[in-house]
Amino acid sequence: EAIRVGATTTGPSNTFIDPYTEEEVTLSGAELRQYQKLRAQIVNELVTILIASDAYKTATPAEKKRMLKRAYSQATTEAKQQFYAG
Protein backbone atom coordinates (compact mmCIF):
# COMPACT_ATOMS: atom_id res chain seq x y z
CA GLU A 1 0.00 0.00 0.00
CA ALA A 2 2.81 2.42 0.89
CA ILE A 3 4.49 1.84 -2.45
CA ARG A 4 1.19 2.27 -4.28
CA VAL A 5 0.60 5.75 -2.80
CA GLY A 6 4.29 6.75 -2.79
CA ALA A 7 4.78 6.83 0.96
CA THR A 8 7.76 4.55 1.36
CA THR A 9 10.20 4.95 4.22
CA THR A 10 13.96 4.51 4.21
CA GLY A 11 14.00 3.31 7.79
CA PRO A 12 16.09 4.57 10.65
CA SER A 13 19.66 5.79 10.56
CA ASN A 14 22.17 4.45 13.06
CA THR A 15 22.66 8.01 14.39
CA PHE A 16 19.89 10.08 15.95
CA ILE A 17 18.94 12.19 18.95
CA ASP A 18 18.07 10.43 22.22
CA PRO A 19 14.59 11.76 23.12
CA TYR A 20 15.43 11.85 26.83
CA THR A 21 18.93 13.36 26.90
CA GLU A 22 18.71 15.20 23.55
CA GLU A 23 22.24 13.99 22.81
CA GLU A 24 23.32 12.50 19.49
CA VAL A 25 23.68 8.74 19.77
CA THR A 26 25.29 6.27 17.39
CA LEU A 27 23.91 2.75 17.69
CA SER A 28 26.06 -0.35 17.36
CA GLY A 29 25.05 -2.93 14.75
CA ALA A 30 23.21 -5.04 17.33
CA GLU A 31 21.46 -2.01 18.82
CA LEU A 32 20.40 -0.82 15.36
CA ARG A 33 18.91 -4.24 14.52
CA GLN A 34 17.04 -4.23 17.84
CA TYR A 35 15.74 -0.70 17.19
CA GLN A 36 14.75 -1.56 13.60
CA LYS A 37 12.80 -4.59 14.80
CA LEU A 38 10.96 -2.51 17.42
CA ARG A 39 10.16 0.25 14.90
CA ALA A 40 8.94 -2.28 12.32
CA GLN A 41 6.56 -3.78 14.88
CA ILE A 42 5.17 -0.34 15.71
CA VAL A 43 4.86 0.62 12.03
CA ASN A 44 2.98 -2.61 11.36
CA GLU A 45 0.57 -1.99 14.25
CA LEU A 46 -0.11 1.64 13.31
CA VAL A 47 -0.46 1.03 9.57
CA THR A 48 -2.76 -1.96 10.09
CA ILE A 49 -5.09 0.20 12.19
CA LEU A 50 -4.83 3.12 9.76
CA ILE A 51 -5.59 1.10 6.62
CA ALA A 52 -8.65 -0.42 8.27
CA SER A 53 -10.07 3.01 9.18
CA ASP A 54 -12.93 4.63 7.29
CA ALA A 55 -10.93 7.85 7.03
CA TYR A 56 -8.17 6.05 5.16
CA LYS A 57 -10.53 4.08 2.95
CA THR A 58 -12.23 7.26 1.73
CA ALA A 59 -9.05 9.37 1.43
CA THR A 60 -7.50 10.47 -1.85
CA PRO A 61 -4.11 8.99 -2.79
CA ALA A 62 -2.39 12.22 -1.68
CA GLU A 63 -4.19 12.10 1.68
CA LYS A 64 -3.29 8.42 2.10
CA LYS A 65 0.36 9.26 1.45
CA ARG A 66 0.28 11.98 4.14
CA MET A 67 -1.50 9.64 6.58
CA LEU A 68 1.08 6.89 6.06
CA LYS A 69 3.99 9.30 6.44
CA ARG A 70 2.45 10.53 9.71
CA ALA A 71 2.18 6.92 10.89
CA TYR A 72 5.87 6.33 10.04
CA SER A 73 6.86 9.46 11.93
CA GLN A 74 4.76 8.46 14.93
CA ALA A 75 6.29 4.97 14.85
CA THR A 76 9.79 6.46 14.83
CA THR A 77 9.00 8.67 17.82
CA GLU A 78 7.40 5.81 19.76
CA ALA A 79 10.23 3.41 18.92
CA LYS A 80 12.87 5.87 20.13
CA GLN A 81 10.99 6.46 23.36
CA GLN A 82 10.53 2.73 24.00
CA PHE A 83 14.10 1.91 22.97
CA TYR A 84 15.62 4.42 25.36
CA ALA A 85 13.12 3.82 28.16
CA GLY A 86 14.05 0.13 28.23
Side-chain angles (χ1 to χ4, degrees):
E1 177 65 8
I3 293 170
R4 189 180 71 73
V5 298
T8 57
T9 179
T10 59
S13 164
N14 72 328
T15 303
F16 52 83
I17 304 299
D18 179 322
Y20 296 102
T21 65
E22 297 185 5
E23 295 177 5
E24 184 173 281
V25 176
T26 300
L27 301 178
S28 68
E31 290 171 326
L32 180 59
R33 285 187 296 278
Q34 181 183 5
Y35 171 76
Q36 288 172 325
K37 183 178 178 181
L38 174 61
R39 183 180 176 273
Q41 289 171 342
I42 296 169
V43 165
N44 187 49
E45 291 169 10
L46 293 176
V47 170
T48 297
I49 292 166
L50 175 63
I51 290 173
S53 73
D54 289 337
Y56 187 85
K57 290 176 184 175
T58 59
T60 66
E63 291 168 333
K64 288 179 179 182
K65 181 177 179 177
R66 281 192 298 277
M67 294 167 104
L68 285 167
K69 287 188 175 229
R70 253 184 269 131
Y72 297 149
S73 179
Q74 182 180 349
T76 297
T77 299
E78 288 183 27
K80 286 179 184 178
Q81 289 172 343
Q82 288 182 31
F83 187 78
Y84 283 104

